[in-house]
Amino acid sequence: MELIQTRQPQTHEYEAMDWIKARLESNCYLSFCIEELSDTENGDPKSEQPQVIGLCGGTTLPEIGYMFRPAVWGRGYAQEALRGFIKFYWDTFPEGHPMIAIAEDRKYLMAVTGPPDESPTAAASIAVLKKCGFDYWKEQKEADSLGPGERDIMLPVWRRWGPGYSTEYLRDK
């Protein structure tokens, strides 16, 4: 799995527990574990237990994301999971998640990718987003504290409008 990370990971258990607790207590946390089911009916010798292969959803809605084990990259799981999440989200929250503070932000879902020139997996992720109806929206400045010295990097942001909203909506504003 590749994680777009712009800060150092938590190194103490209490930091990780605080992060997990904040996500679980958030009303805007909506993520799902993705499992690869075994294929024992067709004689596949894989384990009879489903295997966790990734995650898909949102921890800070309307921003969503996904990540998968490298062993399953290129098999269409990201696209399938993202399409399923999008359908679930809009079926469950036709007006957008009610806990998203800014009403305008309830009208879309967004995703951030790594910079294509610095992230070897960004192109594949962008292709998945485009196949799922996301369009390039803007760049977002993030502080990168992982590299030598702190620097700001610009990350591409992608957006998909919810049902009934589109770029036509913006032209009226």
Short mmCIF file of all heavy atoms in Angstrom, two decimals, residues 53-84:
data_model
loop_
_atom_site.label_atom_id
_atom_site.label_comp_id
_atom_site.label_asym_id
_atom_site.label_seq_id
_atom_site.Cartn_x
_atom_site.Cartn_y
_atom_site.Cartn_z
N ILE A 53 -7.36 -6.83 1.83
CA ILE A 53 -6.45 -6.36 0.79
C ILE A 53 -6.38 -4.84 0.70
O ILE A 53 -5.54 -4.29 0.01
CB ILE A 53 -6.84 -6.92 -0.59
CG1 ILE A 53 -8.28 -6.52 -0.97
CG2 ILE A 53 -6.66 -8.44 -0.62
CD1 ILE A 53 -8.65 -6.83 -2.40
N GLY A 54 -7.27 -4.14 1.43
CA GLY A 54 -7.22 -2.69 1.35
C GLY A 54 -8.32 -2.01 2.14
O GLY A 54 -9.09 -2.65 2.86
N LEU A 55 -8.37 -0.69 1.97
CA LEU A 55 -9.35 0.17 2.63
C LEU A 55 -9.91 1.14 1.60
O LEU A 55 -9.22 1.52 0.66
CB LEU A 55 -8.69 0.99 3.75
CG LEU A 55 -7.98 0.23 4.85
CD1 LEU A 55 -7.18 1.21 5.71
CD2 LEU A 55 -8.98 -0.51 5.70
N CYS A 56 -11.15 1.58 1.84
CA CYS A 56 -11.76 2.58 0.97
C CYS A 56 -12.77 3.37 1.80
O CYS A 56 -13.50 2.78 2.59
CB CYS A 56 -12.46 1.91 -0.21
SG CYS A 56 -13.19 3.06 -1.40
N GLY A 57 -12.80 4.67 1.62
CA GLY A 57 -13.78 5.48 2.32
C GLY A 57 -13.27 6.86 2.63
O GLY A 57 -12.43 7.39 1.91
N GLY A 58 -13.79 7.44 3.70
CA GLY A 58 -13.42 8.80 4.06
C GLY A 58 -13.21 8.95 5.56
O GLY A 58 -13.99 8.45 6.35
N THR A 59 -12.13 9.62 5.92
CA THR A 59 -11.90 9.93 7.33
C THR A 59 -12.14 11.40 7.62
O THR A 59 -12.32 11.78 8.76
CB THR A 59 -10.46 9.57 7.76
OG1 THR A 59 -9.54 10.27 6.93
CG2 THR A 59 -10.22 8.08 7.63
N THR A 60 -12.15 12.21 6.58
CA THR A 60 -12.44 13.64 6.72
C THR A 60 -13.31 14.04 5.54
O THR A 60 -12.84 14.75 4.64
CB THR A 60 -11.15 14.48 6.76
OG1 THR A 60 -10.36 14.15 5.61
CG2 THR A 60 -10.36 14.24 8.02
N LEU A 61 -14.53 13.55 5.53
CA LEU A 61 -15.44 13.84 4.43
C LEU A 61 -15.57 15.35 4.22
O LEU A 61 -15.53 16.09 5.20
CB LEU A 61 -16.82 13.24 4.72
CG LEU A 61 -16.86 11.72 4.71
CD1 LEU A 61 -18.18 11.22 5.27
CD2 LEU A 61 -16.65 11.17 3.31
N PRO A 62 -15.62 15.81 2.99
CA PRO A 62 -15.90 15.08 1.77
C PRO A 62 -14.68 14.42 1.12
O PRO A 62 -14.79 13.84 0.05
CB PRO A 62 -16.48 16.14 0.85
CG PRO A 62 -15.77 17.38 1.23
CD PRO A 62 -15.59 17.26 2.74
N GLU A 63 -13.50 14.48 1.78
CA GLU A 63 -12.32 13.84 1.20
C GLU A 63 -12.40 12.34 1.40
O GLU A 63 -12.69 11.86 2.48
CB GLU A 63 -11.03 14.38 1.82
CG GLU A 63 -9.80 13.82 1.16
CD GLU A 63 -8.51 14.42 1.71
OE1 GLU A 63 -8.55 15.50 2.30
OE2 GLU A 63 -7.47 13.77 1.52
N ILE A 64 -12.16 11.61 0.32
CA ILE A 64 -12.19 10.16 0.37
C ILE A 64 -10.84 9.63 -0.13
O ILE A 64 -10.03 10.39 -0.68
CB ILE A 64 -13.35 9.58 -0.46
CG1 ILE A 64 -13.29 10.03 -1.93
CG2 ILE A 64 -14.67 10.01 0.13
CD1 ILE A 64 -12.59 9.06 -2.82
N GLY A 65 -10.63 8.35 0.08
CA GLY A 65 -9.39 7.75 -0.40
C GLY A 65 -9.47 6.24 -0.35
O GLY A 65 -10.47 5.66 0.10
N TYR A 66 -8.44 5.61 -0.82
CA TYR A 66 -8.36 4.17 -0.83
C TYR A 66 -6.90 3.78 -0.85
O TYR A 66 -6.03 4.56 -1.27
CB TYR A 66 -9.10 3.57 -2.03
CG TYR A 66 -8.71 4.20 -3.34
CD1 TYR A 66 -7.62 3.73 -4.07
CD2 TYR A 66 -9.40 5.29 -3.83
CE1 TYR A 66 -7.25 4.32 -5.25
CE2 TYR A 66 -9.04 5.89 -5.01
CZ TYR A 66 -7.96 5.40 -5.73
OH TYR A 66 -7.58 6.00 -6.90
N MET A 67 -6.60 2.59 -0.37
CA MET A 67 -5.25 2.04 -0.49
C MET A 67 -5.37 0.52 -0.46
O MET A 67 -6.24 -0.04 0.21
CB MET A 67 -4.32 2.56 0.58
CG MET A 67 -4.66 2.26 1.99
SD MET A 67 -3.41 3.04 3.05
CE MET A 67 -4.17 2.78 4.63
N PHE A 68 -4.51 -0.12 -1.26
CA PHE A 68 -4.54 -1.56 -1.41
C PHE A 68 -3.13 -2.14 -1.33
O PHE A 68 -2.15 -1.45 -1.63
CB PHE A 68 -5.16 -1.94 -2.77
CG PHE A 68 -6.64 -1.73 -2.81
CD1 PHE A 68 -7.17 -0.49 -3.10
CD2 PHE A 68 -7.50 -2.77 -2.51
CE1 PHE A 68 -8.53 -0.28 -3.12
CE2 PHE A 68 -8.86 -2.56 -2.51
CZ PHE A 68 -9.39 -1.32 -2.82
N ARG A 69 -3.05 -3.39 -0.94
CA ARG A 69 -1.76 -4.09 -0.92
C ARG A 69 -1.21 -4.15 -2.34
O ARG A 69 -1.95 -4.41 -3.29
CB ARG A 69 -1.94 -5.51 -0.37
CG ARG A 69 -2.29 -5.53 1.09
CD ARG A 69 -2.48 -6.92 1.68
NE ARG A 69 -1.68 -7.94 1.05
CZ ARG A 69 -2.16 -9.12 0.66
NH1 ARG A 69 -3.42 -9.44 0.85
NH2 ARG A 69 -1.37 -10.01 0.11
N PRO A 70 0.08 -3.94 -2.52
CA PRO A 70 0.66 -3.97 -3.87
C PRO A 70 0.40 -5.29 -4.60
O PRO A 70 0.29 -5.29 -5.83
CB PRO A 70 2.16 -3.76 -3.62
CG PRO A 70 2.21 -2.99 -2.35
CD PRO A 70 1.07 -3.50 -1.51
N ALA A 71 0.26 -6.39 -3.88
CA ALA A 71 0.04 -7.68 -4.53
C ALA A 71 -1.26 -7.74 -5.33
O ALA A 71 -1.40 -8.58 -6.22
CB ALA A 71 0.05 -8.79 -3.47
N VAL A 72 -2.20 -6.84 -5.05
CA VAL A 72 -3.48 -6.86 -5.76
C VAL A 72 -3.67 -5.66 -6.69
O VAL A 72 -4.73 -5.50 -7.28
CB VAL A 72 -4.69 -6.98 -4.79
CG1 VAL A 72 -4.58 -8.25 -3.96
CG2 VAL A 72 -4.82 -5.76 -3.91
N TRP A 73 -2.64 -4.84 -6.85
CA TRP A 73 -2.72 -3.70 -7.75
C TRP A 73 -2.96 -4.20 -9.18
O TRP A 73 -2.46 -5.25 -9.58
CB TRP A 73 -1.43 -2.88 -7.72
CG TRP A 73 -1.23 -2.09 -6.46
CD1 TRP A 73 -2.07 -1.99 -5.40
CD2 TRP A 73 -0.08 -1.32 -6.14
NE1 TRP A 73 -1.53 -1.18 -4.43
CE2 TRP A 73 -0.30 -0.76 -4.85
CE3 TRP A 73 1.11 -1.04 -6.78
CZ2 TRP A 73 0.63 0.06 -4.22
CZ3 TRP A 73 2.04 -0.23 -6.15
CH2 TRP A 73 1.79 0.33 -4.89
N GLY A 74 -3.70 -3.45 -9.94
CA GLY A 74 -3.93 -3.77 -11.34
C GLY A 74 -5.04 -4.78 -11.58
O GLY A 74 -5.28 -5.18 -12.71
N ARG A 75 -5.75 -5.20 -10.56
CA ARG A 75 -6.82 -6.19 -10.71
C ARG A 75 -8.22 -5.57 -10.70
O ARG A 75 -9.20 -6.27 -10.74
CB ARG A 75 -6.74 -7.23 -9.59
CG ARG A 75 -5.50 -8.07 -9.63
CD ARG A 75 -5.62 -9.19 -8.63
NE ARG A 75 -4.36 -9.82 -8.38
CZ ARG A 75 -4.16 -10.72 -7.44
NH1 ARG A 75 -5.17 -11.11 -6.68
NH2 ARG A 75 -2.98 -11.25 -7.26
N GLY A 76 -8.30 -4.24 -10.61
CA GLY A 76 -9.60 -3.58 -10.65
C GLY A 76 -10.28 -3.42 -9.30
O GLY A 76 -11.40 -2.91 -9.23
N TYR A 77 -9.62 -3.82 -8.22
CA TYR A 77 -10.23 -3.72 -6.91
C TYR A 77 -10.47 -2.27 -6.48
O TYR A 77 -11.49 -1.95 -5.88
CB TYR A 77 -9.39 -4.42 -5.83
CG TYR A 77 -9.39 -5.92 -5.93
CD1 TYR A 77 -8.19 -6.62 -6.01
CD2 TYR A 77 -10.58 -6.64 -5.93
CE1 TYR A 77 -8.18 -8.01 -6.08
CE2 TYR A 77 -10.57 -8.03 -6.00
CZ TYR A 77 -9.37 -8.70 -6.07
OH TYR A 77 -9.37 -10.06 -6.14
N ALA A 78 -9.53 -1.38 -6.78
CA ALA A 78 -9.68 0.02 -6.37
C ALA A 78 -10.89 0.63 -7.06
O ALA A 78 -11.71 1.31 -6.42
CB ALA A 78 -8.42 0.82 -6.69
N GLN A 79 -11.02 0.39 -8.35
CA GLN A 79 -12.17 0.94 -9.09
C GLN A 79 -13.48 0.35 -8.57
O GLN A 79 -14.45 1.08 -8.35
CB GLN A 79 -12.01 0.65 -10.58
CG GLN A 79 -13.10 1.26 -11.42
CD GLN A 79 -12.88 1.00 -12.90
OE1 GLN A 79 -11.78 0.73 -13.34
NE2 GLN A 79 -13.94 1.09 -13.66
N GLU A 80 -13.51 -0.95 -8.34
CA GLU A 80 -14.73 -1.60 -7.83
C GLU A 80 -15.10 -1.06 -6.45
O GLU A 80 -16.27 -0.74 -6.18
CB GLU A 80 -14.52 -3.11 -7.76
CG GLU A 80 -15.72 -3.87 -7.25
CD GLU A 80 -15.49 -5.37 -7.16
OE1 GLU A 80 -14.40 -5.86 -7.54
OE2 GLU A 80 -16.41 -6.05 -6.67
N ALA A 81 -14.11 -0.95 -5.57
CA ALA A 81 -14.38 -0.46 -4.21
C ALA A 81 -14.83 1.00 -4.23
O ALA A 81 -15.77 1.37 -3.53
CB ALA A 81 -13.12 -0.62 -3.34
N LEU A 82 -14.17 1.82 -5.03
CA LEU A 82 -14.52 3.24 -5.07
C LEU A 82 -15.92 3.44 -5.66
O LEU A 82 -16.71 4.21 -5.13
CB LEU A 82 -13.48 4.03 -5.86
CG LEU A 82 -13.66 5.55 -5.87
CD1 LEU A 82 -13.74 6.11 -4.46
CD2 LEU A 82 -12.53 6.20 -6.65
N ARG A 83 -16.24 2.71 -6.73
CA ARG A 83 -17.59 2.81 -7.30
C ARG A 83 -18.64 2.38 -6.26
O ARG A 83 -19.68 3.02 -6.13
CB ARG A 83 -17.72 1.94 -8.54
CG ARG A 83 -17.06 2.51 -9.76
CD ARG A 83 -17.32 1.63 -10.98
NE ARG A 83 -16.51 2.00 -12.11
CZ ARG A 83 -16.83 2.95 -12.98
NH1 ARG A 83 -17.94 3.61 -12.85
NH2 ARG A 83 -16.03 3.22 -13.99
N GLY A 84 -18.35 1.31 -5.53
CA GLY A 84 -19.27 0.85 -4.49
C GLY A 84 -19.43 1.87 -3.37
O GLY A 84 -20.54 2.12 -2.90
#
